[in-house]
Amino acid sequence: MERDPGTTTGDSAFSVGTVASSKPSATVDTLIIEPPSGWQLVNLRELVERRDLLVFMTWRGIKARYAQSVLGIGWAVFQPVITMLIYTVIFSRVAKISLPGNLPYALVAFCGILPWLFFSSGLTGASNSLVQNNQMISKIYFPRIILPLAQILSKFVDLGIMLLLLGLLLLGYAMAGYDVAPRPEAIVVIPAMILVAFVAVLGLSLWLAAMAVQYRDVAYALTFVIQLAMYLTPVIYTTEMIPGRLLPIFGLNPMLAVITGFRASLLGAPFEYHLPLILEGTLVAVILLVTGLFYFRRSERLFADVA
C-alpha cells in the first residue's frame, strides 16, 4: 500500500477515509491507495491530471540522453547517417541488393531506418523504464504509465531531426537528377504512419515493461530480439522483395506497414502502398495497445513490491 497525502480523489482505485483524532474538533483525512481489482483500462483522467509530471519526465528523458555527451543532439544525426552509410556499403556495394526502380539505395534504406530507429529506441527505453525507476515507484504514487510513455515521447525529438535530414536527402537527390517524386498525399500519410508506429511501440512497451518488473530476462533478451526483428522488417530490403505468399505473415509486424507507407508516399513509383498490409499492421498495433493497457493496469499492483 502506498500513501500520497497530496493525491486528489475521484479515481475508482482510490478511497478516502476520515479518521477522528483525540480532539473532538479536529479530524485527519487519510488517503488509502488500493490496487485496482480485475481487468481495467489505464485511468486516462488521472493521467491528464498528472500531465505536468509527464512533461517533466519527458524533458528529463531528453536531457538524460544528451547530458555530458560530446556530440549532444548531434547523435540524432550521427547515428542514422552512419547506419545508412554502413548499410549502403554492405548491402548495395558488397551484397549488391537489387532495388525496384532507379533510386539510390541510401535513400531507400533511410526511409526504413528512420521509423525503425524511433521504434527500437522507444521500445528499449520504455521497456526498462519501470525497473530503472524502482526507487521512485516504491516510495510515491503516480500513474505508472507515465514512465514508459515519457520515454517514448522523448524520442520524438530524434524523430523530428531525422525527418528534417530525410527532407534534405530527398531534396539533394532530386537536385542530383534522381527520379524522386513524393506523392501529394505524403503530408497526410507520414503523420498517420508515425501515429501507427507510436501506437505499436507504446502497446508493446506496456507489455514488456510490466513483464520486465517480474522477469529480468526481458531486459536481457530485448536487445537480441530487436536485432532479430529488424531483419524481419523491410529496413535493409523493400516490401516488394518479400515473396507474395509470405506477405500476410510479415504483415503482422506493424513496422512493415509504417515503412511501406513511408517509402510509397515519399519515393513514389515503383513503391506501392500495399493497402491490405497497412490495414493489417494498423490493426495489430491497435490490438497491442488495447491489450497492453489492460495488462499494464492489471500488473500495477505488483510494481511497488517487485520492481
Side-chain angles (χ1 to χ4, degrees):
M1 181 179 70
E2 303 158 281
R3 299 173 184 273
D4 180 8
T7 305
T8 58
T9 62
D11 182 0
S12 61
F14 294 74
S15 61
V16 177
T18 302
V19 179
S21 71
S22 58
K23 297 180 180 179
S25 58
T27 59
V28 177
D29 287 340
T30 302
L31 179 65
I32 303 173
I33 302 176
E34 298 175 334
S37 59
W39 293 92
Q40 299 180 17
L41 269 175
V42 170
N43 191 327
L44 296 180
R45 188 179 67 179
E46 184 184 35
L47 181 61
V48 172
E49 290 173 350
R50 298 301 184 91
R51 60 187 178 279
D52 54 341
L53 180 59
L54 175 61
V55 172
F56 172 78
M57 296 298 292
T58 302
W59 179 243
R60 192 187 74 161
I62 295 171
K63 290 199 299 183
R65 179 169 170 78
Y66 300 113
Q68 298 180 337
S69 169
V70 175
L71 292 180
I73 200 76
W75 279 108
V77 175
F78 183 79
Q79 183 180 4
V81 169
I82 293 300
T83 304
M84 177 189 69
L85 293 176
I86 291 175
Y87 286 172
T88 300
V89 171
I90 294 177
F91 298 104
S92 178
R93 303 297 181 184
V94 178
K96 297 187 182 302
I97 288 182
S98 179
L99 295 176
N102 190 29
L103 291 171
Y105 180 87
L107 183 58
V108 176
F110 198 83
C111 288
I113 291 171
L114 187 154
W116 178 255
L117 286 182
F118 171 73
F119 175 83
S120 60
S121 62
L123 184 62
T124 302
S127 298
N128 296 321
S129 59
L130 296 180
V131 176
Q132 291 175 347
N133 293 278
N134 58 344
Q135 294 294 326
M136 185 188 302
I137 291 175
S138 61
K139 290 179 180 176
I140 60 174
Y141 177 79
F142 60 94
R144 307 315 196 197
I145 194 175
I146 284 179
L147 292 175
L149 181 57
Q151 281 291 323
I152 297 172
L153 291 177
S154 69
K155 307 306 179 190
F156 274 92
V157 174
D158 290 4
L159 180 65
I161 294 173
M162 288 190 291
L163 283 170
L164 180 62
L165 190 58
L166 176 59
L168 294 176
L169 279 175
L170 288 168
L171 180 62
Y173 278 113
M175 294 176 65
Y178 286 93
D179 188 20
V180 179
R183 292 186 165 108
E185 65 270 21
I187 194 170
V188 176
V189 174
I190 295 302
M193 292 300 102
I194 292 174
L195 180 61
V196 173
F198 172 74
V199 169
V201 69
L202 178 59
L204 194 55
S205 296
L206 292 177
W207 274 98
L208 295 179
M211 293 173 66
V213 172
Q214 300 181 65
Y215 310 105
R216 294 296 190 265
D217 310 68
V218 173
Y220 300 140
L222 187 58
T223 302
F224 167 73
V225 171
I226 287 178
Q227 288 179 343
L228 186 64
M230 191 200 74
Y231 293 106
L232 298 175
T233 307
V235 177
I236 58 177
Y237 54 91
T238 68
T239 305
E240 287 72 16
M241 298 167 68
I242 301 174
R245 65 182 185 282
L246 297 179
L247 277 177
I249 299 175
F250 276 71
L252 295 173
N253 176 1
M255 290 309 296
L256 180 141
V258 174
I259 294 174
T260 300
F262 259 74
R263 286 185 176 135
S265 60
L266 293 177
L267 303 181
F271 297 100
E272 300 298 334
Y273 283 111
H274 299 279
L275 193 56
L277 292 178
I278 291 181
L279 293 177
E280 182 182 359
T282 302
L283 178 61
V284 172
V286 172
I287 291 174
L288 280 174
L289 178 59
V290 174
T291 57
L293 287 170
F294 275 107
Y295 181 72
F296 191 88
R297 184 68 163 172
R298 175 74 172 178
S299 304
E300 273 192 46
R301 57 192 173 87
L302 302 173
F303 292 167
D305 297 327
V306 181

